[in-house]
Amino acid sequence: MKTFRWKSLCIALICSVVFAGCSTQEAAPPASEEKPQSETPSDSQEASAEQTLNINMGSEPTSIDPGIAQDIPSMAVARAAFDGLLRLGTDGELHEAVAESYEVSEDQLTWTFHLRDTKWSNGDPVTAHDFEYAWKRVLDPATGSGYAYQMYYLKNGAKANSGEVPMDEVGVKAVDDKTLVVTLENPSPFFPQLVASVTYFPVNKKVVEANEKWANEADTYVVNGPFVVKEWEHKSKIVFEKNENYWDKDNVHLSSMTFHMIEDANTELSMFESGQLDWAGSPLGDLPLDALPTLQESGKMQTQATAGTYWYVFNTEKVPFNNKKIRQAFAYAINRQEIVENVLMNNGEVALGILPPSMWFKPDGHFKDGDVETAKKLLAEGMQELGISELPELEILYNTSEEHQRIATVIQDQWRKAFGIEVKLKNVENKVRNAELEAGNYMIGRASWIGDFNDPVNFLEVFRDVGGTNDTRWHNERFKQLLLDSAQESDKAARDKLLAEADEILMEELPVVPIYYYTYAWVKKDSVKDVVIDALGFIDFKYASNAK
């Protein structure tokens, strides 16, 4: 999933957090088990009062088209504006949303969703055809979705994406306006989590086909969720208003919400302290690193472990990172403990593998942290293999953030001391960084991943194929086959063995360098309640209230 801002460590027991407590996230309950999603304020005056929320999202979203959205700001906007078949409630469980009910076949391959009466913000009815169109649109290479692989769980999804079969053979079909039948390649117990994710949201076919830039401005952004985008002042703010066409509008308490785009963490905290923001910090913004100890001691700061990893990627098509030993050398020379202690102020955990603690196969890690002696040896061997006597000019590409700047500076210094080299730093805005990584215009790049569902395959499959989410250009046929085989394996132990081998290959080849596991940190006004942050780091404001 994605580019992130503040995060680290993940707990083994995955929780979904609302600000009233924590509960274990489970698969969607049977359709017959209706559960309350949010408590309506007991005070009728509070319930009817105008409630607003001001929060910082850090930077301009890359794309708020749910089929294309990849970074946290983009997904936060899409999640506020759209509704999928299922949605996470304040009780930490998935509930029916646009889907009023659903059934699953005995072999777990066929899922039939029955849709309730809902509308788009322009008054059009939301139909099963919108979902079919949206999912196939993500698979269409012309769309350019980095998340197309998330549709590979659909029958023939991967083949359709590669052009081997026509889209008509993909396992999603609108039988009529209210019935969507989904056929999977293999039983996927995490499928309810997927259909609740941004990539599986519907889009209005008529609107999208009439205007390819429909998601670029507020007045053309047609949605079906809790909020509509009323105003979008690019690189400054996005203003939301409650969607009066939303089917569950009685459970939406905010009348409006504003996402500000403030890249400086000190400014963000200052605005919070002066009352201009109701929330500062994760998951959309940052807190100043120097302020973390004081905020923690005061008891104002809240934290949540999340299933994500902060990492650097190498461009494996360019010298010297086309050599495995040189990639290993640069990875081993990083002292992650120094970064966690001195940059993150212990608000994180050393990562010696890309899989976070809730998914990892090797709790002790795949290599030794800060192993400079081994790193020097590997660098010399790698340079000899390439036939070079000195390294080319190297550069770390990262997006604007105090955290990213400090981490890059520390790693620059560690590599200087280990190898006697000078690595340049290049700071660009997030949208530019994404484009540069995708185009391969980099040597070393800052990136990260937070799981879309709690399973190792979601992290490993980032690097299955060249392109899409894999900006490293690295490819390994054995690694790919292990992931394909794991999808066919129904025995958990056997499947884990396949995935563990794939994990071992990736951490041996090291096109990606894990640095630390994410932890969210934020401060908020006491009046802000029922904001849902799931264990994977996504934030949802549907049920939020701010009765001051």
Side-chain angles (χ1 to χ4, degrees):
M1 132 198 113
K2 314 160 233 205
T3 301
F4 314 104
R5 298 183 64 84
W6 242 120
K7 315 164 180 100
S8 198
L9 165 73
C10 184
I11 47 177
L13 179 61
I14 289 295
C15 288
S16 175
V17 171
V18 295
F19 297 118
C22 177
S23 61
T24 304
Q25 182 174 338
E26 302 172 355
S32 60
E33 294 183 14
E34 292 292 336
K35 296 187 179 182
Q37 295 183 346
S38 179
E39 294 296 327
T40 303
S42 56
D43 189 321
S44 60
Q45 289 184 336
E46 279 192 3
S48 61
E50 291 286 308
Q51 297 186 31
T52 63
L53 182 71
N54 282 276
I55 188 169
N56 183 36
M57 68 185 303
S59 62
E60 176 87 358
T62 303
S63 173
I64 59 174
D65 178 337
I68 298 175
Q70 291 188 140
D71 55 73
I72 285 288
S74 299
M75 288 190 166
V77 174
R79 195 173 294 273
F82 285 85
D83 215 13
L85 294 168
L86 305 175
R87 195 176 191 113
L88 195 69
T90 57
D91 57 4
E93 297 185 9
L94 290 170
H95 295 269
E96 289 81 356
V98 177
E100 191 169 36
S101 64
Y102 64 94
E103 302 96 43
V104 186
S105 62
E106 189 173 342
D107 62 6
Q108 301 291 303
L109 292 176
T110 304
W111 297 64
T112 304
F113 295 91
H114 304 282
L115 276 58
R116 68 177 84 241
D117 289 329
T118 62
K119 291 182 180 181
W120 291 102
S121 54
N122 66 355
D124 291 345
V126 177
T127 71
H129 301 282
D130 292 319
F131 282 91
E132 178 183 353
Y133 170 75
W135 296 6
K136 289 180 177 178
R137 176 174 174 263
V138 171
L139 282 171
D140 187 345
T143 304
S145 175
Y147 269 25
Y149 72 91
Q150 281 207 17
M151 297 293 171
Y152 289 0
Y153 300 99
L154 306 180
K155 186 171 181 62
N156 290 324
K159 291 180 179 178
N161 183 240
S162 64
E164 295 178 52
V165 302
M167 286 292 171
D168 287 347
E169 295 187 24
V170 174
V172 55
K173 180 68 175 176
V175 176
D176 54 45
D177 285 353
K178 295 294 185 65
T179 310
L180 186 73
V181 177
V182 182
T183 306
L184 304 183
E185 279 281 355
N186 305 286
S188 303
F190 46 76
F191 190 63
Q193 296 179 54
L194 278 176
V195 299
S197 69
V198 168
T199 312
Y200 277 75
F201 286 170
V203 293
N204 186 309
K205 179 180 179 180
K206 180 177 69 176
V207 170
V208 174
E209 291 189 337
N211 178 12
E212 64 178 11
K213 297 181 179 180
W214 68 280
N216 290 3
E217 302 295 339
D219 57 0
T220 56
Y221 194 52
V222 177
V223 301
N224 75 320
F227 302 95
V228 296
V229 175
K230 186 67 175 177
E231 178 187 349
W232 185 356
E233 188 177 327
H234 290 278
K235 297 187 178 181
S236 177
K237 64 181 179 180
I238 295 179
V239 179
F240 299 84
E241 285 188 357
K242 182 175 179 177
N243 181 6
E244 292 301 327
N245 275 338
Y246 184 49
W247 70 273
D248 196 29
K249 65 180 181 180
D250 289 345
N251 276 318
V252 179
H253 308 304
L254 295 176
S255 56
S256 66
M257 177 170 62
T258 301
F259 286 2
H260 299 269
M261 301 174 197
I262 305 155
E263 292 187 336
D264 182 72
N266 287 292
T267 302
E268 179 177 351
L269 182 59
S270 177
M271 289 178 66
F272 172 79
E273 291 174 338
S274 66
Q276 297 174 73
L277 293 177
D278 300 301
W279 184 301
S282 303
L284 300 181
D286 285 334
L287 292 174
L289 297 174
D290 291 340
L292 294 182
T294 301
L295 290 172
Q296 194 165 26
E297 289 173 9
S298 71
K300 295 178 181 178
M301 189 173 79
Q302 300 184 39
T303 62
Q304 178 194 335
T306 205
T309 309
Y310 185 107
W311 60 46
Y312 275 6
V313 290
F314 293 129
N315 188 336
T316 63
E317 288 184 340
K318 292 186 177 182
V319 175
F321 297 119
N322 58 338
N323 181 274
K324 179 180 75 173
K325 288 183 178 178
I326 292 180
R327 296 196 299 268
Q328 290 174 333
F330 277 75
Y332 294 176
I334 296 174
N335 186 328
R336 294 155 183 81
Q337 190 62 45
E338 179 185 352
I339 292 170
V340 168
E341 290 180 359
N342 299 332
V343 177
L344 304 178
M345 307 300 176
N346 291 310
N347 196 45
E349 183 174 306
V350 167
L352 300 176
I354 69 161
L355 298 180
S358 65
M359 307 175 195
W360 61 21
F361 295 109
K362 296 188 72 171
D364 294 332
H366 291 267
F367 48 83
K368 180 183 175 183
D369 186 36
D371 190 357
V372 175
E373 292 307 311
T374 301
K376 288 180 178 179
K377 178 175 178 292
L378 287 167
L379 179 62
E381 292 174 359
M383 291 176 66
Q384 186 174 18
E385 289 176 1
L386 290 176
I388 59 176
S389 58
E390 63 180 32
L391 294 171
E393 183 177 278
L394 302 178
E395 181 180 77
I396 299 174
L397 175 71
Y398 64 94
N399 55 294
T400 303
S401 162
E402 178 193 17
E403 173 195 348
H404 304 329
Q405 167 73 38
R406 290 195 184 188
I407 290 174
T409 302
V410 170
I411 291 177
Q412 176 192 49
D413 184 60
Q414 291 176 352
W415 285 342
R416 180 190 299 117
K417 292 176 179 176
F419 306 130
I421 61 173
E422 197 62 43
V423 178
K424 293 186 176 181
L425 305 182
K426 184 178 181 180
N427 174 27
V428 297
E429 66 177 41
N430 191 46
K431 194 170 185 177
V432 174
R433 180 194 62 91
N434 286 337
E436 294 288 83
L437 290 178
E438 186 176 339
N441 297 327
Y442 77 100
M443 295 290 283
I444 308 159
R446 186 212 74 81
S448 51
W449 193 260
I450 286 185
D452 302 295
F453 49 92
N454 190 43
D455 190 283
V457 73
N458 186 235
F459 277 71
L460 298 172
E461 67 187 353
V462 171
F463 305 96
R464 196 186 85 171
D465 298 298
V466 175
T469 55
N470 182 10
D471 297 318
T472 71
R473 273 64 176 164
W474 175 81
H475 182 73
N476 182 290
E477 279 297 326
R478 175 59 182 166
F479 175 81
K480 180 175 180 176
Q481 191 59 52
L482 287 165
L483 297 186
L484 293 173
D485 290 347
S486 73
Q488 305 290 332
E489 182 56 67
S490 57
D491 180 76
K492 184 181 185 304
R495 180 176 181 271
D496 283 350
K497 185 176 180 181
L498 293 170
L499 294 177
E501 184 181 344
D503 181 41
E504 195 69 45
I505 289 173
L506 187 65
M507 289 297 93
E508 168 71 16
E509 292 281 330
L510 283 173
V512 53
V513 182
I515 298 176
Y516 73 90
Y517 299 123
Y518 279 127
T519 291
Y520 279 164
W522 69 87
V523 290
K524 70 175 186 71
K525 299 293 177 61
D526 292 340
S527 56
V528 176
K529 302 182 185 303
D530 287 338
V531 175
V532 177
I533 300 179
D534 70 18
L536 301 172
F538 295 107
I539 190 166
D540 189 350
F541 297 96
K542 171 181 174 176
Y543 308 108
S545 63
N546 191 21
K548 298 179 181 179

